[in-house]
Amino acid sequence: MNEEIKRTSGLQAKLEENGVNASLDELINFKQTVDNLFTKDTLTEEQRAVIATKMEKLISAYDKIAAISQRKISNQEKAARIEKELGTVPDDFIRQATKEIENVDEKMNSKIKGIKSKVKELFANATKSIGGFIDSHIAQKKEEAEQINKQETALIKNPEKKGALKRLFSILKENPADWKEVEQEDGTIKLINEEGEIRGIIETKDAPHWAAVEQSVLDAKRAFGFVNKIKTFVAQEKAGSTIPTQEEKAKNAEKKAKAEKSIGKINKNKKEIEETLANAEKGALEHAEQRGKQVKEGGRSIETIKGLLQSFKDAYMNTKDNAQIIGNTLRIWDAKDDSKKNAKKLDKLNEQKAKLEKQIKKAQNSKIKADTSLKEHTEAKAEAKQRIASRKEARRGADGMEH
Amino acid sequence: MENLEFLTEEEKDAMSVNDLAIYLDLLKLIKSELEGIKEGE
């Protein structure tokens, strides 16, 4: 598996989006994935507890049967004691157990078949998902390349930006037999004959209005009789195609090669991934087959079974612990919801606060205006008083003089 | 002793293959012990 693709592509997320409930590592290190399928159950806590009790009773029955079997009494006596202990005659129990063994055996076969189907489904989904992802990755690369082309064309269409004028000048210069000299100045190309007369002017200043250029070229044709190359050039420019320079050609070729290399690399990776997955699927199915045989062969001792039953009961405890953890998590989520509600409240309060602040500022401005106005009024009043006092003083002075 | 009970279809369907194998082994052990006694009769 290409580690870089795995790391950078978000492939795992894509797998999950497409319902592949195993990580890539799990698929490739398939043994653990398959083993997990053998331990997967859909038991409820209650079912687990009931099954554990039934199994414990069966173990206890086995212990009693084994103990009776060890006793130095006749087999008939053993059978009688067992009948007393089991509440059923051994023959009946053997018949029932045989039937149950057959039933469990069939059930296990069906479950193992189901596991193989699950493995196939898992790999089919992963392969489809990865294939789809890589195809879209390639399409994206192609689109990127297409975008570069479009951008280049857009640039080339504008001769001022991409040197079309320069190229036109080169074409004219390459044909000295038709005109002695070519001058380029301020977006104008002048075609000069042997007598030094200007016989044609190609206005390219207002490019990309190629109609004007074409007209100039036609005028030039009348003067020199050779403009096919230029006409082709103008037609191509007008059609949006281009005559790239050698440098541009090289750059484009480089870009194209790079894109092709990149697409090739992705395709190679795709092939590698598909091969890896196909091999892993083959291995997973083989492992499921072997594991199934191994599980069905059984042959566990009663002590092993007792130990395994304890693990079965512990799984029940784990389920309880997990339920506790999930309960706590849900409470945390609820708390998060509360905090969301609180955040909304806070937003509203902040809005109200902003409104109040605006009102306070408005009131403050009004107060400042009022204060200024009052100050001005007081000053004016003081000035008026001063003027009246001065006038009175002057009048008193005048009266004094008269007396 | 209380009557022995086998697992129900529903219980077996919900069990893992590995757990079913334990049950199967247990049944085989009991059957084998009982058959041993029967053969010796």
Side-chain angles (χ1 to χ4, degrees):
Chain A
M1 174 65 63
N2 188 304
E3 285 298 323
E4 198 185 346
I5 277 212
K6 257 171 69 181
R7 185 167 49 79
T8 58
S9 63
L11 210 50
Q12 185 56 45
K14 291 279 163 193
L15 288 176
E16 282 164 13
E17 268 174 34
N18 289 284
V20 182
N21 296 319
S23 74
L24 277 176
D25 288 333
E26 276 175 323
L27 287 173
I28 291 155
N29 305 316
F30 52 81
K31 281 191 178 174
Q32 190 57 52
T33 308
V34 171
D35 289 348
N36 288 345
L37 290 172
F38 275 81
T39 58
K40 197 172 179 283
D41 64 54
T42 54
L43 290 169
T44 62
E45 284 180 29
E46 200 187 340
Q47 277 178 321
R48 192 176 287 275
V50 171
I51 291 167
T53 308
K54 284 182 181 175
M55 298 266 270
E56 271 168 353
K57 280 183 189 171
L58 285 168
I59 288 170
S60 164
Y62 172 83
D63 283 341
K64 281 175 183 168
I65 294 164
I68 293 166
S69 175
Q70 296 300 312
R71 290 178 71 175
K72 286 177 180 169
I73 51 173
S74 73
N75 283 329
Q76 275 181 328
E77 215 171 328
K78 284 178 187 174
R81 281 183 184 269
I82 287 165
E83 187 182 344
K84 200 181 162 192
E85 290 283 356
L86 295 180
T88 179
V89 289
D91 274 356
D92 283 349
F93 192 84
I94 290 169
R95 262 195 304 276
Q96 285 170 17
T98 306
K99 221 172 148 188
E100 179 68 353
I101 286 168
E102 279 171 13
N103 174 286
V104 174
D105 200 52
E106 274 174 30
K107 205 148 277 240
M108 283 175 75
N109 282 342
S110 154
K111 279 179 185 272
I112 291 165
K113 211 175 156 187
I115 288 174
K116 285 182 188 168
S117 299
K118 181 77 195 161
V119 166
K120 281 183 187 169
E121 186 193 322
L122 213 58
F123 278 96
N125 279 347
T127 309
K128 194 178 159 196
S129 181
I130 290 168
F133 169 71
I134 292 173
D135 286 347
S136 70
H137 202 63
I138 291 171
Q140 196 189 326
K141 284 272 164 209
K142 282 184 178 170
E143 176 62 25
E144 279 170 17
E146 186 61 28
Q147 279 302 319
I148 294 169
N149 279 343
K150 276 183 186 170
Q151 282 164 9
E152 276 181 356
T153 308
L155 284 172
I156 289 163
K157 266 183 178 177
N158 185 338
E160 290 300 330
K161 283 190 183 169
K162 200 62 187 177
L165 187 61
K166 202 174 159 190
R167 286 197 297 281
L168 181 58
F169 184 63
S170 302
I171 292 165
L172 296 169
K173 248 186 142 178
E174 277 167 17
N175 298 278
D178 300 301
W179 35 74
K180 190 166 177 271
E181 246 182 284
V182 181
E183 279 180 11
Q184 187 188 11
E185 195 181 352
D186 295 333
T188 302
I189 296 172
K190 291 173 185 171
L191 307 174
I192 301 161
N193 69 6
E194 282 186 1
E195 285 75 42
E197 293 166 346
I198 297 169
R199 298 300 307 272
I201 295 173
I202 298 176
E203 288 289 348
T204 56
K205 206 174 181 179
D206 60 347
H209 299 298
W210 286 103
V213 177
E214 192 176 39
Q215 190 52 51
S216 303
V217 169
L218 290 171
D219 291 344
K221 189 183 178 183
R222 278 194 287 278
F224 295 98
F226 172 81
V227 279
N228 282 342
K229 234 178 169 180
I230 300 161
K231 267 189 86 179
T232 309
F233 174 81
V234 172
Q236 281 170 335
E237 287 289 350
K238 278 171 79 180
S241 63
T242 183
I243 303 167
T245 61
Q246 287 303 320
E247 194 187 348
E248 280 170 334
K249 270 184 188 171
K251 269 186 188 172
N252 285 342
E254 201 181 315
K255 276 181 191 167
K256 206 179 158 190
K258 212 174 169 183
E260 275 167 6
K261 201 179 163 190
S262 176
I263 289 168
K265 205 175 166 186
I266 296 167
N267 271 324
K268 195 175 163 253
N269 284 334
K270 183 185 176 185
K271 212 178 160 196
E272 249 176 53
I273 292 167
E274 281 171 351
E275 274 173 13
T276 309
L277 282 176
N279 286 334
E281 183 183 356
K282 202 179 156 203
L285 288 171
E286 278 169 10
H287 185 65
E289 179 72 28
Q290 279 170 5
R291 192 88 182 83
K293 273 185 191 165
Q294 192 190 350
V295 165
K296 279 179 70 187
E297 266 174 20
R300 297 168 188 84
S301 71
I302 193 70
E303 289 313 314
T304 309
I305 290 173
K306 283 177 186 174
L308 291 170
L309 182 63
Q310 192 53 50
S311 303
F312 181 81
K313 282 160 76 181
D314 288 346
Y316 161 65
M317 294 305 291
N318 286 341
T319 312
K320 274 180 87 176
D321 287 348
N322 288 342
Q324 184 70 31
I325 292 165
I326 290 166
N328 289 339
T329 312
L330 285 173
R331 272 189 289 283
I332 292 165
W333 285 345
D334 285 346
K336 273 185 185 170
D337 276 353
D338 281 348
S339 69
K340 271 185 196 168
K341 282 178 199 162
N342 288 338
K344 272 189 181 173
K345 276 184 194 168
L346 190 64
D347 284 348
K348 270 195 173 176
L349 286 172
N350 276 330
E351 268 177 37
Q352 284 173 352
K353 192 184 160 201
K355 271 185 191 171
L356 285 172
E357 277 173 351
K358 221 174 169 183
Q359 282 171 1
I360 289 168
K361 209 172 176 187
K362 213 173 167 186
Q364 278 173 341
N365 284 339
S366 301
K367 191 176 175 284
I368 291 166
K369 276 184 188 171
D371 284 349
T372 311
S373 173
L374 184 68
K375 199 180 164 197
E376 282 170 1
H377 182 72
T378 311
E379 281 171 3
K381 202 177 161 188
E383 276 173 22
K385 261 185 179 177
Q386 185 63 40
R387 277 198 300 275
I388 291 163
S390 302
R391 276 202 294 273
K392 273 183 183 173
E393 188 65 29
R395 205 174 294 136
R396 266 200 297 272
D399 287 348
M401 290 283 281
E402 279 172 20
H403 289 290
Chain B
M1 183 177 174
E2 285 176 58
N3 280 337
L4 293 174
E5 264 186 277
F6 293 130
L7 303 184
T8 65
E9 289 300 308
E10 209 181 3
E11 285 160 355
K12 284 180 272 184
D13 285 340
M15 282 169 87
S16 73
V17 181
N18 282 359
D19 290 338
L20 262 183
I22 303 167
Y23 176 57
L24 188 68
D25 273 359
L26 182 56
L27 290 174
K28 282 180 181 172
L29 275 177
I30 297 171
K31 188 187 164 192
S32 163
E33 276 298 321
L34 289 172
E35 280 175 341
I37 291 167
K38 203 186 152 218
E39 276 167 17
E41 274 178 10

